[in-house]
Amino acid sequence: MSSHNLPTQVKRHTLRTLQALKDRGEKLTMLTAYDVVTSHFLDRAGLDMILVGDSLGNVVLGFDTTIPVTLDDMIRHTAAVVRGSSRALVILDLPFGTTTDPETALRSAVRAFQETGCQAVKLEGGLHAVAVTQRLTEAGIPVMAHIGLTPQSVHQQGGFRTHGKVLSEADQLKAAARELEKAGAFAIVLECVTADLASDISKTLRIPTIGIGSGPGCDGQVLVINDLIGLSISPPPAFAKPVANVAVIIENAARQFIESVRKPSETKIRLTGEVHEKTDA
Ligand code: KIV
């Protein structure tokens, strides 16, 4: 299935096909995934990109921040996501401490590429990430940049807040976006950037911007899958509007199982959630 009303897309997205979407004025879609099953169904739905985010630390591993996530964690999960997908471009999020300088970043990204089969990496940071971005792209490794709220620097940034409200900060973000594009980034995530600024950056750049909590003016949108499907222990951020409540489905299924084991003759199994159509895809 294609989400763009084009002839059925059978091959995996590339940087060129993603850029063509922006050039045609079509919106790009990206969700996170951390395992083979989720990846399989997101891919089948026609998603353009799957990000194996270091949000893995919060939503799967139970940490308060993304800081404890290691490159080994990311490699393990990304390899599973690659195995589950065939059409979406898969991006591995380089975790905290793996991109501190261009050579360290190159070693991390080479491992990511060789051990997972992913097609790109994402790295957080503004102007200070320009040299790293250039080093990786020169080595043939596509880089998705990420500015605004960058959770790996949450302590330095003074917590979770909207970025670009103050003129000097807005100017810095615009400059970072321009320089990251010049350094070779193929796309850029704008996280919790004011809607006006995000829209302005999106019009200025040639490469696609992918927004999260940054308003509708970006070239595409990304969400953490758990926030979209209602599968989190803590409430989702205000900008994420869940379209399902998978947490309730899991809890009800477990309750029914417990009941059916303890009192088999009294339990009538009720199916929660619709059964998806089986296809050969
Ligand atoms: O780690 C992540 O999931 C991310 C997205 C929120 C962009 O970086």
Side-chain angles (χ1 to χ4, degrees):
M1 182 197 296
S2 164
S3 52
H4 297 286
N5 295 325
L6 296 171
T8 307
Q9 180 207 325
V10 284
K11 287 197 190 137
R12 209 183 271 280
H13 264 298
T14 64
L15 305 195
R16 283 162 60 103
T17 58
L18 294 172
Q19 181 65 49
L21 293 179
K22 166 151 182 167
D23 297 343
R24 283 202 300 268
E26 292 192 41
K27 294 284 185 186
L28 285 82
T29 56
M30 178 161 92
L31 286 167
T32 66
Y34 316 97
D35 63 81
V36 67
V37 177
T38 312
S39 165
H40 173 82
F41 290 108
L42 297 188
D43 197 68
R44 219 172 76 160
L47 202 70
D48 299 318
M49 291 172 282
I50 300 178
L51 171 67
V52 188
D54 63 354
S55 49
L56 170 80
N58 309 90
V59 298
V60 175
L61 302 178
F63 294 118
D64 286 339
T65 70
T66 58
I67 292 169
V69 176
T70 65
L71 186 56
D72 284 341
D73 292 332
M74 294 307 301
I75 285 175
R76 190 75 164 161
H77 286 268
T78 304
V81 167
V82 170
R83 287 192 287 273
S85 62
S86 59
R87 298 168 192 170
L89 189 95
V90 177
I91 302 150
L92 178 149
D93 204 4
L94 288 170
F96 181 74
T98 62
T99 59
T100 43
D101 62 82
E103 292 316 310
T104 305
L106 185 60
R107 273 194 302 278
S108 309
V110 165
R111 268 200 71 198
F113 250 46
Q114 289 187 323
E115 295 181 34
T116 71
C118 69
Q119 291 85 45
V121 297
K122 176 170 85 57
L123 60 97
E124 293 185 6
L127 285 171
H128 64 271
V130 168
V132 167
T133 302
Q134 187 164 354
R135 183 77 185 95
L136 298 196
T137 52
E138 279 169 4
I141 298 174
V143 173
M144 173 176 274
H146 181 163
I147 61 170
L149 173 64
T150 49
Q152 289 171 21
S153 319
V154 65
H155 299 309
Q156 197 182 33
Q157 289 189 333
F160 294 91
R161 61 177 177 85
T162 304
H163 288 246
K165 285 184 174 167
V166 178
L167 189 62
S168 58
E169 195 177 58
D171 285 344
Q172 257 182 18
L173 286 167
K174 277 193 221 170
R178 269 197 313 272
E179 292 305 314
L180 287 161
E181 175 175 90
K182 262 200 239 161
F186 75 91
I188 182 163
V189 170
L190 304 179
E191 180 163 357
C192 294
V193 169
T194 62
D196 284 349
L197 177 61
S199 176
D200 190 18
I201 292 175
S202 307
K203 285 184 197 128
T204 316
L205 295 189
R206 186 189 53 84
I207 59 172
T209 60
I210 313 294
I212 173 160
S214 300
C218 299
D219 302 310
Q221 297 290 332
V222 55
L223 273 185
V224 168
I225 183 70
N226 298 63
D227 294 337
L228 181 71
I229 64 173
L231 183 58
S232 299
I233 297 168
S234 46
F239 57 77
K241 305 280 176 256
V243 296
N245 197 341
V246 174
V248 167
I249 294 180
I250 292 176
E251 191 174 328
N252 284 347
R255 282 183 200 283
Q256 285 200 61
F257 173 73
I258 294 167
E259 213 180 300
S260 72
V261 171
R262 290 188 185 151
K263 298 178 192 160
S265 57
E266 293 168 35
T267 311
K268 189 169 171 322
I269 297 293
R270 301 169 306 277
L271 204 59
T272 46
E274 278 176 40
V275 181
H276 65 80
E277 256 175 58
K278 212 162 184 269
T279 73
D280 296 332

